[in-house]
Structures are given as structure tokens and as C-alpha cells.
């Protein structure tokens, strides 16, 4: 298999993954605390079925996309799979896409609707498949966060984070412009970054492509760097309503990879992926 010059050995990659889990993955205890807060918010707002999440435990997981513990489990499964199949050795772009009309207003707790199955997302993945033949792998998700500027809520923009291998930066940009009504209020509505060469670079990008579902970002001014926080109870209830009830993989967008209830497998031609993933833009 053709690899990057800096591709680590299998044992080194496993060691890096273990270190990442220990040092950078959200702790289980914190996820349990957050799960309890999600249940309380759901109970107070009359949202979904909080009893299902409240009863989540070893041997009887709720597998809800609203459960921080189950999302953590799925995130770990995904990262283990990517490293076990040596997909970190490919050439990847990290892509963030902001779409016009996908921002929920403050105070609006209604459902955004389809998550990964939103029609423009399906069009985007289909267009990427058409652009370059075999070899495409995409791992990403749709997400939102509760945004506050100068202590004033400004909205909850749904957006995409994707890791893409097997397509050039120009092809990715072309597909995004074709399939989405991009949000021109954002300086870069399609942000593309080439993932760095180290295993740590890859793990950071892959974990960011599928994160925990509930975040608040606060800025003192529009241009300032955001500080990531856990949302307040009313903000959390809004985010739960916006996300809607969905399974633990309901936000996960996959091409060339399949998720069978937490067990991942490759469905694309890896030899083609290696040729295309390592090709120059």
C-alpha cells in the first residue's frame, strides 16, 4: 500500500490512539454528568423520551444521538476503526461548510429536520462520487452550537465538518458550490484545510469531524476567538429541540465507510483510494 512518508507503524499508531483517548477524549465521568443534564433539560421541556437516556448503562445502551455517553462510545469506535484500517495514512482534506438558511434563531426550539439525510447533503456526496470515480472516502457530520457575542445570543448555525480523501480541493469546492446555497455572511463558507502529516494531526481532525452534540461558543466581539462552553439549561433545551430525537449515528455522514450499529467497515476500493488520496491537487 502506498503511504505518506511520515506514516507511523501499526504499533506506533495504536500507541498514539491510546494517548489521544487518555489525554484529549472527553472523560467518561464528564459525559455522565452531561447526560444527566440532558435528561433534566428534556424532562423540563417535555422533549423526546428522557427515560430511555436516563436508563442507559453497560449492556443496555440507549444509542441515542442525544446521549453524550453513547456518542463518546461511537466516537471511540470510529477512531479505532480508522486507525485499524490504516486510513490515517491517506491524504485528507478537512472541510467545513456553512449553508444559507441553516441558522436557527435564538429562542427557537423547533426541529431543524433531517440531519445527515438533508437533501443537499445527499446531493453533495453524490456529486463527489461523480467527480472522480473510485477511491472516495468521506467521514463527517452535521452539527450546530449555541453562539453568543457580547453576552447576546446570535443563533445556532447548522454546518458540516468532513474529512475527505480521494478528491482534490478543487473538486470538493466545486461540489459544495453546486449542491449548497452557501452562507455568504461567513468569510469562508467552504473552508478547506489539508490535514497535517502526523497521526496526531489525523486524530485531531477525525475527532473534530464527529464531535459531541451540545456546545456553546461565546465571543466578546464578532472577530474574537470563541470560547467553548457547556450550554446553560435553557440553551441546552433549545439545542435538544433543534437536533430532534435521533440515533447515535444520526448526524454521521459516511461515504466509502459503513456504520452497522457501531461496527464500521470500508465499502470503497482502498487501492483506488490510495492512488487518488495521495494524488496532487
Amino acid at each position: 500500500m502506498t503511504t505518506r512518508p511520515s506514516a507511523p507503524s501499526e504499533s506506533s499508531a495504536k500507541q498514539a490512539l491510546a494517548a489521544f483517548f487518555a489525554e484529549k477524549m472527553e472523560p467518561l465521568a464528564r459525559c455522565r454528568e452531561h447526560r444527566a443534564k440532558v435528561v433534566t433539560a428534556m424532562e423540563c421541556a417535555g422533549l423526546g423520551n428522557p427515560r430511555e437516556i436516563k436508563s442507559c448503562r453497560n449492556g443496555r445502551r440507549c444509542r441515542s444521538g442525544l446521549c453524550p455517553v453513547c456518542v463518546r462510545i461511537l466516537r471511540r469506535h470510529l477512531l479505532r476503526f480508522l486507525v485499524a484500517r490504516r486510513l490515517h495514512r491517506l491524504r485528507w482534506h478537512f472541510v467545513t461548510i456553512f449553508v444559507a438558511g441553516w441558522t436557527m434563531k435564538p429562542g427557537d426550539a423547533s426541529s431543524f429536520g433531517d440531519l445527515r439525510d438533508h437533501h443537499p447533503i445527499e446531493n453533495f456526496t453524490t456529486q463527489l462520487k461523480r467527480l472522480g470515480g473510485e477511491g472516495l472516502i468521506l467521514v463527517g457530520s452535521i452539527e450546530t452550537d449555541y453562539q453568543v457575542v457580547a453576552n447576546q445570543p446570535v443563533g445556532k448555525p447548522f454546518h458540516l465538518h468532513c474529512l475527505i480523501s480521494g478528491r482534490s480541493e478543487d473538486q470538493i469546492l466545486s461540489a459544495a458550490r453546486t449542491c449548497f446555497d452557501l452562507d455568504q455572511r461567513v468569510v469562508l463558507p467552504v473552508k478547506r484545510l489539508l490535514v497535517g502529516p502526523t497521526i496526531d494531526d489525523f486524530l485531531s481532525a477525525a475527532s473534530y469531524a464527529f464531535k459531541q452534540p451540545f456546545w456553546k461558543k461565546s465571543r466578546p466581539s464578532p472577530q474574537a476567538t470563541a470560547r467553548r462552553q457547556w450550554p446553560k439549561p435553557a440553551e441546552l433545551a433549545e439545542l435538544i429541540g433543534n437536533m430532534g430525537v435521533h440515533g447515535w449515528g444520526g448526524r454521521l455522514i459516511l461515504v466509502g465507510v459503513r456504520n452497522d450499529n457501531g461496527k464500521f467497515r470500508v465499502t470503497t476500493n482502498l487501492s483506488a483510494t490510495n492512488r487518488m488520496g495521495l494524488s496532487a491537487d
Side-chain angles (χ1 to χ4, degrees):
M1 175 167 53
T2 305
T3 63
R4 288 179 170 184
S6 59
S9 66
E10 184 175 354
S11 61
S12 296
K14 289 181 178 179
Q15 291 173 1
L17 179 62
F20 185 88
F21 283 162
E23 299 168 10
K24 298 182 180 180
M25 179 68 71
E26 61 273 18
L28 178 58
R30 184 190 303 163
C31 289
R32 287 171 174 160
E33 293 174 4
H34 287 173
R35 179 178 62 189
K37 293 179 179 179
V38 168
V39 169
T40 299
M42 293 176 72
E43 291 174 339
C44 292
L47 297 168
N49 183 8
R51 288 182 297 176
E52 180 182 27
I53 298 175
K54 191 174 185 178
S55 64
C56 181
R57 61 181 183 272
N58 283 335
R60 193 179 174 183
R61 290 299 178 194
C62 67
R63 293 178 178 174
S64 168
L66 302 176
C67 175
V69 174
C70 285
V71 171
R72 178 182 184 269
I73 291 170
L74 190 61
R75 278 163 43 79
R76 289 168 67 92
H77 286 342
L78 177 60
L79 292 180
R80 285 195 189 100
F81 159 79
L82 294 171
V83 171
R85 291 308 307 266
R86 298 184 173 186
L87 298 184
H88 57 283
R89 297 158 73 97
L90 300 176
R91 188 170 188 263
W92 294 92
H93 285 93
F94 187 87
V95 182
T96 300
I97 302 175
F98 287 91
V99 182
W102 280 19
T103 297
M104 307 289 287
K105 295 180 179 179
D108 183 355
S110 64
S111 172
F112 176 75
D114 293 331
L115 295 174
R116 68 176 180 197
D117 296 324
H118 239 63
H119 191 57
I121 298 175
E122 294 179 348
N123 289 345
F124 177 61
T125 58
T126 299
Q127 183 70 8
L128 285 174
K129 292 174 186 177
R130 290 172 177 166
L131 283 174
E134 292 184 312
L136 171 66
I137 296 183
L138 183 153
V139 177
S141 67
I142 183 171
E143 65 168 51
T144 191
D145 42 48
Y146 196 100
Q147 296 201 356
V148 174
V149 176
N151 294 321
Q152 296 297 318
V154 296
K156 295 157 289 182
F158 277 80
H159 53 281
L160 307 182
H161 291 308
C162 299
L163 270 179
I164 302 176
S165 183
R167 296 295 183 268
S168 71
E169 184 175 335
D170 287 344
Q171 288 174 324
I172 294 168
L173 181 59
S174 173
R177 286 174 171 168
T178 298
C179 301
F180 297 108
D181 179 11
L182 299 175
D183 191 345
Q184 300 302 327
R185 299 173 303 171
V186 179
V187 176
L188 287 175
V190 183
K191 186 176 181 180
R192 296 94 62 205
L193 296 173
L194 188 63
V195 176
T198 71
I199 181 68
D200 289 334
D201 292 332
F202 174 80
L203 291 173
S204 294
S207 66
Y208 203 85
F210 178 49
K211 301 199 298 293
Q212 286 286 343
F214 304 119
W215 292 107
K216 174 182 178 179
K217 287 186 177 179
S218 299
R219 294 178 174 86
S221 67
Q223 294 77 29
T225 300
R227 182 163 59 101
R228 198 160 65 170
Q229 303 168 289
W230 180 257
K232 295 178 180 179
E235 298 164 346
L236 178 59
E238 281 188 36
L239 289 172
I240 293 171
N242 298 152
M243 288 282 186
V245 175
H246 61 282
W248 63 347
R251 294 186 295 116
L252 196 55
I253 305 165
L254 300 172
V255 177
V257 171
R258 183 179 176 88
N259 172 25
D260 293 319
N261 210 16
K263 295 181 180 179
F264 293 91
R265 61 185 176 90
V266 174
T267 61
T268 195
N269 182 340
L270 276 183
S271 61
T273 301
N274 289 318
R275 290 196 305 270
M276 300 182 70
L278 293 164
S279 63
D281 282 346

